[in-house]
Amino acid sequence: MTNPIQDVAGADFIFAIGTNTTESHPIIGLQVKKAVRGGSTLVVADPRKTEVAELAKVHLQIKSGSDIALLNGMANVIIAEDLYNKEFVAERTEDFEAFKAAVEKYTPEYVEGITGIAAASLREVARGYARVKNATILYTMGITQHICGTHNVFAVANLSMLCGHIGKPNSGVNPLRGQNNVQGACDMGALPAVLTGYQGVGLDDVRARFASAWGLESLPAKPGITVGEMLEGASHGTIKGMYIMGENPVLSDPDANHVVHALDKLDFLVVQDIFLTETAQLADVVLPAASFAEKDGTFSNTERRVQRVRKAVEPVGEARPDWQILCQVATAMGYPMNYASPADIMKEIASLTPSYGGISYERLEQGGIQWPCPNPEHPGTPVLHVGKFSRGMGKFNPVEYVAPAEMPDEQYPLVLSTGRRHFHYHTGTMTMRTGALEVYYGTEYLEINSADAAKLVICDGDKVKVSSRRGSVELSARITDVVPEGLVFTSFHFPEVAINRLTNPARDSIAKIPEFKVCAVKVEKTA
Amino acid sequence: MAEVTLTINGGQITVPQGSTILNAAQKMGVFIPTLCYDPELTIDGSCRMCVVEVKGARTLMISCATAATEGMVVETESPAVIEARKTILELLLANHPLDCLTCGRNGDCRLQDYAYRYGVKEGGFAGAMHQYPIEDDNPFIVRDMNKCILCGKCVRACAQIQGKNVVDYTYRGFDTKIAPAMDTTLAGSDCVFCGNCVAVCPVGALQEKVLRSKARTWEINKVRTTCPYCGTGCNFDLNVKDGKVVGVTSCDGDVNGRALCVKGRFGYGFIHHPDRLSKPLIKKDGQFVEASWEEALALVAEKLGGIRDNNGPDALAVLSSARCTNEENYLLSKLTRAVFGTNNIDHCARL
């Protein structure tokens, strides 16, 4: 997020696109509700009529995957009606002319044909976003899990720069991240092309600095491969060994049958986890890890706030904290790694990472710190891009609408979209074992519109089989107007409803994110 | 900002204009008991527990809702104040089960605290008592409306923190009761079980189902940490008894204040679940066999080292974890690059 979570409540206008905020990020949802109670305008763009959509002044129930058309359409209106922030565009941005030319064809009438949103509604929302003092954009995987995910994000950024709603409080471009430390895992360089703090592995001076700190002659310069490419490599035999820590790709990745096949082909698979997950069951060696309650450390949240995790109880059985296991594996491979505590590891991180330079366990005792925090005296940075973007000028990246990779056809006439439920989390490894959450919400269902259900002669509660070109699952149908005609929805939490057997592994060409939000399916009644 | 100076229990205090007597007293470190007051919620002024004597005023004033004014002279524990508070407690206790011996909130109950403070042992008025059935048809929260003192904090927390408006006052007079619409149970309502009502309840009417049946309040050690679920980064206290996490309670988090969602507050049971992996496992002939750490680590080192040496470093690939700590992600990146010799590391940020 460019801005803190608390800022959301202070925005005059909230544009939530592709985020089921109150269900997937309930506490950020409270900020949205607070803003609405205080008189702010909430606009939600989502194919589903979610709880947060019900709270909105305007719900833009767009067709799945039509986000770029919508966002470019808003920009078209704002430019055509001369509502954009000329001072901001002139002083802080570049390539505006190219952007202006690109959005010219996205008139509200043209956009209506792609998104299904009435031209008048689009105009109203565009004017609303442009005219207020502070507007914020919230988004999650509804924006990113598309073959054009990166371009969707560019379109969001373009809109915010066009109106100057960035680099100041109560505004910004705010992706709400879905996992406790997904921000931190990225910050720490658990990515193929960067080391900590997004320092590129291709840069000689960066590699030299890390090699020297790590006591090595050199480090590999060639960027690595992404998760999808790893699984491809495994199935083709170019990847022979994998080490998986605390992830469950068998349930979380698209085209699950293919994932299992790929992992099965490995010569050697190590899985380090707290449970024998569906992925761990395929491993040659499973290493038992400590849970968050059994170790010290830090997580970085979606607003870049680094916060302490504290050990409350001893690890169960012989389980060990992941950091200790990793040190022991390195040592066993002839590279001694010794740290007295996670605080010591953080000292090393801070010494190699400019944005974490001022972060230490001593300081974190006083509360979380938002990076960039370059030195021990620096208070942290709640709002990014104040006065100047991190790259200098804000660059408009013109983008064009493209249709999802797999659209419904005669054989597979419905669109399947997947997401989260309020009572569960990710692949259910934790939330199915709480003695509470799975008791209250124990079975998954398929949301289907009454019009589609009528065509298929499906009644509420009927068992149905949902199939795509890649696989099928069975579950109960729930007839609801949360989904429009033509769309069905379910979550990926339940191992017995492994919906990712169906999803499309087509990926965004830049970020390599799979298109979980759109694939073509058919639904049949089974009983 | 304009300020006012007033006298409380003989001492002077200056506060910004608009402050209440309660704010001023708290600033001075003078304790005034409250039941319906909460700094995060709108002022209700209904419990009357916080009454104080203001010189020149016709009656006792409620300190939570009375503005401090210039020259005001306040007594917080005068005989009239104490008599009023005792009477309020006697009225509340007249219709409150005196089952502190087995109550999960024993030791963490404002009604108990104030009864002790003012020496009130029982209700002073004989009469009808509520006989509501205890609501425990959900796995998260137990509602015992016999213990409810109608302070309304849960109503305001639901409306003003959670924004759901699930519960409100229903019926009238003695029958007044906090309930969801149509007097159904929480499980039958739109409740999302955030438990933010439980966090503000001053008595035993709303209790965390598991926590309050597993530990007495004084047996618990609280450890502040950060939630392991979504990316919001809520802080909470893990409640630990005998080396086990028995519950989660709110603290004043940087991001969330006291608010939590159902997963954060009630989703901790996996920590001690019998399915937890407790020993290294090695697959032999298609079956997992328990192994020692030495054996497992040696095998991992041998196999991964072998692939690195025979097939080249880029034949290895690593998935790190968005669930693990920064330090652990850093170390796995270091292990991948420095020891395996490849940049083939990724995690589920793309998912």
Side-chain angles (χ1 to χ4, degrees), chain B residues 215-268:
Chain B
R216 318 303 303 270
T217 51
W218 54 88
E219 297 171 324
I220 285 169
N221 179 33
K222 293 188 177 189
V223 179
R224 183 147 310 174
T225 194
T226 304
C227 182
Y229 287 111
C230 81
T232 305
C234 298
N235 299 136
F236 55 56
D237 286 336
L238 286 172
N239 286 224
V240 180
K241 180 192 171 188
D242 298 337
K244 292 243 163 113
V245 175
V246 293
V248 163
T249 48
S250 297
C251 62
D252 188 17
D254 283 352
V255 174
N256 57 309
R258 288 175 302 177
L260 291 171
C261 78
V262 66
K263 292 191 286 289
R265 196 183 298 278
F266 298 111
Y268 56 86

Short mmCIF file of all heavy atoms in Angstrom, two decimals, chain B residues 215-268:
data_model
loop_
_atom_site.label_atom_id
_atom_site.label_comp_id
_atom_site.label_asym_id
_atom_site.label_seq_id
_atom_site.Cartn_x
_atom_site.Cartn_y
_atom_site.Cartn_z
N ALA B 215 -9.27 -21.82 31.34
CA ALA B 215 -8.31 -21.17 32.24
C ALA B 215 -9.00 -20.12 33.09
O ALA B 215 -9.90 -19.42 32.61
CB ALA B 215 -7.19 -20.54 31.42
N ARG B 216 -8.60 -20.02 34.33
CA ARG B 216 -9.02 -18.90 35.17
C ARG B 216 -8.20 -17.70 34.74
O ARG B 216 -7.05 -17.84 34.31
CB ARG B 216 -8.77 -19.19 36.66
CG ARG B 216 -9.12 -20.60 37.13
CD ARG B 216 -10.57 -20.97 36.87
NE ARG B 216 -11.54 -20.08 37.47
CZ ARG B 216 -12.05 -20.23 38.70
NH1 ARG B 216 -11.68 -21.22 39.47
NH2 ARG B 216 -12.95 -19.38 39.15
N THR B 217 -8.76 -16.53 34.90
CA THR B 217 -8.09 -15.34 34.33
C THR B 217 -6.68 -15.15 34.88
O THR B 217 -5.80 -14.71 34.17
CB THR B 217 -8.92 -14.08 34.61
OG1 THR B 217 -9.23 -14.03 35.99
CG2 THR B 217 -10.20 -14.09 33.81
N TRP B 218 -6.49 -15.52 36.16
CA TRP B 218 -5.18 -15.26 36.78
C TRP B 218 -4.14 -16.34 36.45
O TRP B 218 -2.99 -16.22 36.80
CB TRP B 218 -5.32 -15.12 38.30
CG TRP B 218 -6.01 -16.30 38.93
CD1 TRP B 218 -5.43 -17.44 39.36
CD2 TRP B 218 -7.41 -16.43 39.17
NE1 TRP B 218 -6.38 -18.30 39.84
CE2 TRP B 218 -7.61 -17.70 39.75
CE3 TRP B 218 -8.53 -15.60 38.94
CZ2 TRP B 218 -8.87 -18.18 40.11
CZ3 TRP B 218 -9.78 -16.07 39.30
CH2 TRP B 218 -9.96 -17.35 39.88
N GLU B 219 -4.57 -17.39 35.78
CA GLU B 219 -3.62 -18.44 35.40
C GLU B 219 -2.96 -18.15 34.05
O GLU B 219 -2.09 -18.89 33.62
CB GLU B 219 -4.35 -19.78 35.27
CG GLU B 219 -4.98 -20.29 36.54
CD GLU B 219 -5.87 -21.50 36.29
OE1 GLU B 219 -6.54 -21.57 35.25
OE2 GLU B 219 -5.89 -22.38 37.16
N ILE B 220 -3.41 -17.08 33.42
CA ILE B 220 -3.00 -16.84 32.02
C ILE B 220 -1.81 -15.90 31.93
O ILE B 220 -1.74 -14.89 32.61
CB ILE B 220 -4.20 -16.24 31.25
CG1 ILE B 220 -5.20 -17.37 30.96
CG2 ILE B 220 -3.76 -15.58 29.96
CD1 ILE B 220 -6.51 -16.87 30.44
N ASN B 221 -0.88 -16.27 31.05
CA ASN B 221 0.22 -15.39 30.69
C ASN B 221 -0.05 -14.87 29.28
O ASN B 221 -0.33 -15.65 28.38
CB ASN B 221 1.53 -16.20 30.73
CG ASN B 221 2.71 -15.35 30.36
OD1 ASN B 221 2.75 -14.15 30.63
ND2 ASN B 221 3.68 -15.97 29.69
N LYS B 222 -0.02 -13.56 29.11
CA LYS B 222 -0.34 -13.00 27.79
C LYS B 222 0.93 -12.62 27.03
O LYS B 222 1.82 -11.98 27.60
CB LYS B 222 -1.22 -11.75 27.95
CG LYS B 222 -2.60 -12.09 28.48
CD LYS B 222 -3.54 -10.91 28.45
CE LYS B 222 -4.93 -11.34 28.92
NZ LYS B 222 -5.94 -10.31 28.72
N VAL B 223 0.99 -13.03 25.76
CA VAL B 223 2.15 -12.71 24.93
C VAL B 223 1.66 -11.98 23.68
O VAL B 223 0.87 -12.51 22.90
CB VAL B 223 2.90 -14.00 24.51
CG1 VAL B 223 4.09 -13.66 23.62
CG2 VAL B 223 3.35 -14.77 25.75
N ARG B 224 2.13 -10.76 23.51
CA ARG B 224 1.67 -9.94 22.37
C ARG B 224 2.37 -10.39 21.09
O ARG B 224 3.59 -10.58 21.06
CB ARG B 224 1.99 -8.47 22.63
CG ARG B 224 1.47 -7.58 21.53
CD ARG B 224 1.04 -6.26 22.06
NE ARG B 224 0.15 -6.42 23.21
CZ ARG B 224 -0.30 -5.42 23.96
NH1 ARG B 224 0.06 -4.20 23.68
NH2 ARG B 224 -1.10 -5.65 24.98
N THR B 225 1.60 -10.56 20.05
CA THR B 225 2.19 -10.99 18.78
C THR B 225 1.36 -10.46 17.62
O THR B 225 0.45 -9.63 17.82
CB THR B 225 2.33 -12.53 18.76
OG1 THR B 225 3.19 -12.91 17.68
CG2 THR B 225 0.99 -13.23 18.60
N THR B 226 1.67 -10.93 16.41
CA THR B 226 0.99 -10.47 15.20
C THR B 226 0.27 -11.65 14.57
O THR B 226 0.79 -12.75 14.53
CB THR B 226 2.03 -9.86 14.23
OG1 THR B 226 2.73 -8.82 14.91
CG2 THR B 226 1.36 -9.29 12.99
N CYS B 227 -0.93 -11.39 14.08
CA CYS B 227 -1.81 -12.44 13.55
C CYS B 227 -1.18 -13.16 12.36
O CYS B 227 -0.55 -12.54 11.51
CB CYS B 227 -3.14 -11.82 13.14
SG CYS B 227 -4.33 -13.04 12.53
N PRO B 228 -1.37 -14.50 12.27
CA PRO B 228 -0.77 -15.26 11.17
C PRO B 228 -1.66 -15.40 9.94
O PRO B 228 -1.31 -16.13 9.03
CB PRO B 228 -0.57 -16.64 11.81
CG PRO B 228 -1.74 -16.79 12.71
CD PRO B 228 -2.03 -15.40 13.25
N TYR B 229 -2.79 -14.74 9.89
CA TYR B 229 -3.68 -14.94 8.73
C TYR B 229 -3.45 -13.90 7.63
O TYR B 229 -2.41 -13.91 7.00
CB TYR B 229 -5.14 -15.04 9.20
CG TYR B 229 -5.43 -16.36 9.90
CD1 TYR B 229 -5.68 -16.42 11.26
CD2 TYR B 229 -5.41 -17.55 9.20
CE1 TYR B 229 -5.92 -17.64 11.90
CE2 TYR B 229 -5.65 -18.77 9.82
CZ TYR B 229 -5.91 -18.80 11.17
OH TYR B 229 -6.15 -20.01 11.78
N CYS B 230 -4.36 -12.97 7.39
CA CYS B 230 -4.23 -12.11 6.20
C CYS B 230 -3.12 -11.07 6.38
O CYS B 230 -2.43 -11.05 7.38
CB CYS B 230 -5.56 -11.43 5.86
SG CYS B 230 -5.94 -9.97 6.85
N GLY B 231 -2.97 -10.18 5.42
CA GLY B 231 -1.86 -9.24 5.44
C GLY B 231 -2.10 -7.96 6.21
O GLY B 231 -1.29 -7.03 6.14
N THR B 232 -3.20 -7.88 6.97
CA THR B 232 -3.50 -6.64 7.68
C THR B 232 -2.52 -6.38 8.82
O THR B 232 -2.16 -5.25 9.10
CB THR B 232 -4.95 -6.68 8.21
OG1 THR B 232 -5.82 -6.95 7.13
CG2 THR B 232 -5.34 -5.36 8.86
N GLY B 233 -2.09 -7.46 9.48
CA GLY B 233 -1.10 -7.28 10.55
C GLY B 233 -1.70 -6.85 11.87
O GLY B 233 -1.17 -5.97 12.55
N CYS B 234 -2.81 -7.47 12.25
CA CYS B 234 -3.42 -7.14 13.54
C CYS B 234 -2.55 -7.70 14.67
O CYS B 234 -1.98 -8.78 14.56
CB CYS B 234 -4.81 -7.75 13.64
SG CYS B 234 -5.95 -7.11 12.40
N ASN B 235 -2.49 -6.95 15.74
CA ASN B 235 -1.81 -7.42 16.95
C ASN B 235 -2.84 -7.99 17.90
O ASN B 235 -3.98 -7.52 17.96
CB ASN B 235 -1.09 -6.27 17.67
CG ASN B 235 -0.02 -5.62 16.81
OD1 ASN B 235 0.09 -4.41 16.77
ND2 ASN B 235 0.75 -6.43 16.10
N PHE B 236 -2.45 -9.02 18.64
CA PHE B 236 -3.30 -9.54 19.71
C PHE B 236 -2.44 -10.22 20.75
O PHE B 236 -1.23 -10.37 20.56
CB PHE B 236 -4.40 -10.46 19.17
CG PHE B 236 -3.96 -11.64 18.33
CD1 PHE B 236 -3.04 -12.57 18.81
CD2 PHE B 236 -4.49 -11.82 17.06
CE1 PHE B 236 -2.66 -13.66 18.04
CE2 PHE B 236 -4.10 -12.91 16.28
CZ PHE B 236 -3.19 -13.83 16.77
N ASP B 237 -3.08 -10.60 21.87
CA ASP B 237 -2.38 -11.31 22.93
C ASP B 237 -2.73 -12.79 22.87
O ASP B 237 -3.91 -13.16 22.96
CB ASP B 237 -2.81 -10.78 24.32
CG ASP B 237 -2.20 -9.42 24.62
OD1 ASP B 237 -1.16 -9.09 24.03
OD2 ASP B 237 -2.78 -8.69 25.45
N LEU B 238 -1.71 -13.62 22.74
CA LEU B 238 -1.92 -15.05 22.90
C LEU B 238 -2.05 -15.31 24.39
O LEU B 238 -1.22 -14.85 25.18
CB LEU B 238 -0.74 -15.84 22.34
CG LEU B 238 -0.63 -15.91 20.81
CD1 LEU B 238 0.68 -16.53 20.39
CD2 LEU B 238 -1.80 -16.69 20.21
N ASN B 239 -3.11 -16.01 24.79
CA ASN B 239 -3.32 -16.34 26.21
C ASN B 239 -2.76 -17.73 26.45
O ASN B 239 -3.23 -18.71 25.86
CB ASN B 239 -4.80 -16.30 26.55
CG ASN B 239 -5.35 -14.88 26.63
OD1 ASN B 239 -6.10 -14.53 27.55
ND2 ASN B 239 -4.97 -14.02 25.68
N VAL B 240 -1.76 -17.83 27.31
CA VAL B 240 -1.04 -19.08 27.51
C VAL B 240 -1.26 -19.60 28.92
O VAL B 240 -1.15 -18.84 29.90
CB VAL B 240 0.47 -18.88 27.27
CG1 VAL B 240 1.23 -20.19 27.48
CG2 VAL B 240 0.72 -18.34 25.87
N LYS B 241 -1.60 -20.88 29.02
CA LYS B 241 -1.69 -21.54 30.32
C LYS B 241 -0.97 -22.89 30.23
O LYS B 241 -1.22 -23.65 29.29
CB LYS B 241 -3.15 -21.76 30.71
CG LYS B 241 -3.31 -22.45 32.06
CD LYS B 241 -4.74 -22.91 32.29
CE LYS B 241 -4.80 -23.78 33.53
NZ LYS B 241 -6.12 -24.40 33.71
N ASP B 242 -0.11 -23.18 31.18
CA ASP B 242 0.63 -24.44 31.21
C ASP B 242 1.28 -24.77 29.86
O ASP B 242 1.20 -25.90 29.38
CB ASP B 242 -0.30 -25.60 31.61
CG ASP B 242 -0.89 -25.41 33.00
OD1 ASP B 242 -0.26 -24.67 33.80
OD2 ASP B 242 -1.96 -25.98 33.27
N GLY B 243 1.88 -23.79 29.23
CA GLY B 243 2.60 -24.04 27.98
C GLY B 243 1.72 -24.24 26.78
O GLY B 243 2.20 -24.67 25.73
N LYS B 244 0.43 -23.94 26.91
CA LYS B 244 -0.47 -24.10 25.75
C LYS B 244 -1.20 -22.79 25.48
O LYS B 244 -1.60 -22.08 26.42
CB LYS B 244 -1.52 -25.17 26.04
CG LYS B 244 -0.97 -26.58 26.14
CD LYS B 244 -1.56 -27.46 25.04
CE LYS B 244 -0.76 -28.71 24.84
NZ LYS B 244 -1.46 -29.92 25.21
N VAL B 245 -1.42 -22.52 24.20
CA VAL B 245 -2.24 -21.36 23.84
C VAL B 245 -3.70 -21.75 24.05
O VAL B 245 -4.20 -22.69 23.43
CB VAL B 245 -2.00 -20.94 22.37
CG1 VAL B 245 -2.95 -19.82 21.98
CG2 VAL B 245 -0.56 -20.51 22.18
N VAL B 246 -4.38 -21.06 24.96
CA VAL B 246 -5.78 -21.40 25.25
C VAL B 246 -6.76 -20.35 24.72
O VAL B 246 -7.98 -20.53 24.81
CB VAL B 246 -6.02 -21.61 26.76
CG1 VAL B 246 -5.29 -22.85 27.25
CG2 VAL B 246 -5.60 -20.38 27.56
N GLY B 247 -6.22 -19.26 24.16
CA GLY B 247 -7.13 -18.26 23.63
C GLY B 247 -6.40 -17.05 23.10
O GLY B 247 -5.17 -16.94 23.19
N VAL B 248 -7.19 -16.15 22.52
CA VAL B 248 -6.67 -14.89 21.99
C VAL B 248 -7.53 -13.77 22.54
O VAL B 248 -8.77 -13.89 22.55
CB VAL B 248 -6.72 -14.89 20.44
CG1 VAL B 248 -6.58 -13.49 19.89
CG2 VAL B 248 -5.65 -15.81 19.86
N THR B 249 -6.89 -12.72 23.04
CA THR B 249 -7.67 -11.55 23.46
C THR B 249 -7.10 -10.29 22.80
O THR B 249 -5.94 -10.27 22.37
CB THR B 249 -7.65 -11.39 25.00
OG1 THR B 249 -6.31 -11.51 25.47
CG2 THR B 249 -8.51 -12.45 25.68
N SER B 250 -7.92 -9.26 22.75
CA SER B 250 -7.52 -8.01 22.11
C SER B 250 -6.46 -7.29 22.92
O SER B 250 -6.42 -7.38 24.14
CB SER B 250 -8.73 -7.07 22.01
OG SER B 250 -9.73 -7.62 21.21
N CYS B 251 -5.62 -6.56 22.23
CA CYS B 251 -4.74 -5.60 22.90
C CYS B 251 -4.93 -4.29 22.14
O CYS B 251 -5.87 -4.18 21.35
CB CYS B 251 -3.29 -6.07 22.84
SG CYS B 251 -2.63 -6.21 21.17
N ASP B 252 -4.08 -3.31 22.34
CA ASP B 252 -4.23 -2.07 21.58
C ASP B 252 -3.25 -2.13 20.41
O ASP B 252 -2.14 -1.62 20.49
CB ASP B 252 -3.96 -0.87 22.48
CG ASP B 252 -4.28 0.43 21.77
OD1 ASP B 252 -4.99 0.39 20.75
OD2 ASP B 252 -3.80 1.49 22.22
N GLY B 253 -3.68 -2.78 19.32
CA GLY B 253 -2.78 -2.98 18.19
C GLY B 253 -2.52 -1.72 17.39
O GLY B 253 -3.38 -0.84 17.31
N ASP B 254 -1.33 -1.64 16.77
CA ASP B 254 -0.98 -0.47 15.95
C ASP B 254 -1.99 -0.28 14.82
O ASP B 254 -2.35 0.84 14.47
CB ASP B 254 0.40 -0.68 15.30
CG ASP B 254 1.54 -0.47 16.28
OD1 ASP B 254 1.27 -0.01 17.40
OD2 ASP B 254 2.69 -0.76 15.92
N VAL B 255 -2.40 -1.39 14.21
CA VAL B 255 -3.26 -1.33 13.03
C VAL B 255 -4.73 -1.47 13.42
O VAL B 255 -5.59 -0.78 12.89
CB VAL B 255 -2.91 -2.48 12.05
CG1 VAL B 255 -3.89 -2.52 10.89
CG2 VAL B 255 -1.49 -2.31 11.53
N ASN B 256 -5.00 -2.37 14.34
CA ASN B 256 -6.38 -2.79 14.58
C ASN B 256 -7.00 -2.29 15.86
O ASN B 256 -8.19 -2.52 16.10
CB ASN B 256 -6.44 -4.33 14.59
CG ASN B 256 -5.51 -4.94 15.62
OD1 ASN B 256 -4.32 -4.61 15.67
ND2 ASN B 256 -6.03 -5.81 16.45
N GLY B 257 -6.24 -1.61 16.71
CA GLY B 257 -6.80 -1.28 18.02
C GLY B 257 -7.18 -2.56 18.72
O GLY B 257 -6.38 -3.48 18.82
N ARG B 258 -8.45 -2.65 19.20
CA ARG B 258 -8.89 -3.89 19.85
C ARG B 258 -9.63 -4.81 18.89
O ARG B 258 -9.97 -5.93 19.23
CB ARG B 258 -9.82 -3.56 21.02
CG ARG B 258 -9.10 -2.96 22.21
CD ARG B 258 -10.10 -2.55 23.26
NE ARG B 258 -11.06 -1.59 22.70
CZ ARG B 258 -12.09 -1.10 23.36
NH1 ARG B 258 -12.32 -1.49 24.59
NH2 ARG B 258 -12.90 -0.23 22.80
N ALA B 259 -9.92 -4.31 17.69
CA ALA B 259 -10.75 -5.09 16.76
C ALA B 259 -9.98 -6.28 16.21
O ALA B 259 -8.80 -6.18 15.90
CB ALA B 259 -11.21 -4.19 15.62
N LEU B 260 -10.66 -7.39 16.12
CA LEU B 260 -10.11 -8.58 15.47
C LEU B 260 -11.23 -9.19 14.64
O LEU B 260 -12.40 -8.84 14.81
CB LEU B 260 -9.65 -9.60 16.52
CG LEU B 260 -8.42 -9.22 17.35
CD1 LEU B 260 -8.22 -10.21 18.49
CD2 LEU B 260 -7.18 -9.16 16.49
N CYS B 261 -10.87 -10.11 13.74
CA CYS B 261 -11.90 -10.85 13.01
C CYS B 261 -12.00 -12.25 13.59
O CYS B 261 -11.23 -12.63 14.47
CB CYS B 261 -11.61 -10.88 11.52
SG CYS B 261 -10.35 -12.08 11.04
N VAL B 262 -12.92 -13.02 13.07
CA VAL B 262 -13.17 -14.35 13.63
C VAL B 262 -11.93 -15.24 13.54
O VAL B 262 -11.65 -16.03 14.45
CB VAL B 262 -14.39 -15.00 12.96
CG1 VAL B 262 -14.14 -15.31 11.48
CG2 VAL B 262 -14.82 -16.27 13.68
N LYS B 263 -11.15 -15.10 12.48
CA LYS B 263 -9.97 -15.95 12.34
C LYS B 263 -8.92 -15.57 13.37
O LYS B 263 -8.31 -16.43 14.00
CB LYS B 263 -9.40 -15.85 10.92
CG LYS B 263 -10.31 -16.47 9.87
CD LYS B 263 -9.64 -16.62 8.52
CE LYS B 263 -9.47 -15.31 7.79
NZ LYS B 263 -10.72 -14.74 7.29
N GLY B 264 -8.69 -14.28 13.51
CA GLY B 264 -7.68 -13.82 14.47
C GLY B 264 -8.05 -14.20 15.89
O GLY B 264 -7.22 -14.70 16.66
N ARG B 265 -9.31 -14.01 16.26
CA ARG B 265 -9.71 -14.23 17.65
C ARG B 265 -9.98 -15.70 17.97
O ARG B 265 -9.70 -16.15 19.07
CB ARG B 265 -10.96 -13.39 17.98
CG ARG B 265 -11.22 -13.26 19.47
CD ARG B 265 -12.49 -12.48 19.78
NE ARG B 265 -12.50 -11.10 19.30
CZ ARG B 265 -11.93 -10.08 19.94
NH1 ARG B 265 -11.31 -10.28 21.07
NH2 ARG B 265 -11.99 -8.86 19.44
N PHE B 266 -10.52 -16.43 17.00
CA PHE B 266 -10.94 -17.80 17.31
C PHE B 266 -10.24 -18.87 16.46
O PHE B 266 -10.59 -20.03 16.54
CB PHE B 266 -12.45 -17.92 17.14
CG PHE B 266 -13.25 -17.02 18.07
CD1 PHE B 266 -13.96 -15.94 17.57
CD2 PHE B 266 -13.27 -17.27 19.43
CE1 PHE B 266 -14.70 -15.10 18.42
CE2 PHE B 266 -13.99 -16.44 20.29
CZ PHE B 266 -14.70 -15.36 19.78
N GLY B 267 -9.26 -18.46 15.66
CA GLY B 267 -8.64 -19.42 14.73
C GLY B 267 -7.29 -19.95 15.19
O GLY B 267 -6.46 -20.31 14.37
N TYR B 268 -7.06 -20.02 16.51
CA TYR B 268 -5.75 -20.43 17.03
C TYR B 268 -5.64 -21.92 17.31
O TYR B 268 -4.56 -22.42 17.65
CB TYR B 268 -5.45 -19.66 18.33
CG TYR B 268 -6.54 -19.85 19.37
CD1 TYR B 268 -6.52 -20.95 20.23
CD2 TYR B 268 -7.62 -18.97 19.45
CE1 TYR B 268 -7.55 -21.17 21.13
CE2 TYR B 268 -8.65 -19.18 20.34
CZ TYR B 268 -8.61 -20.28 21.17
OH TYR B 268 -9.63 -20.51 22.05
#
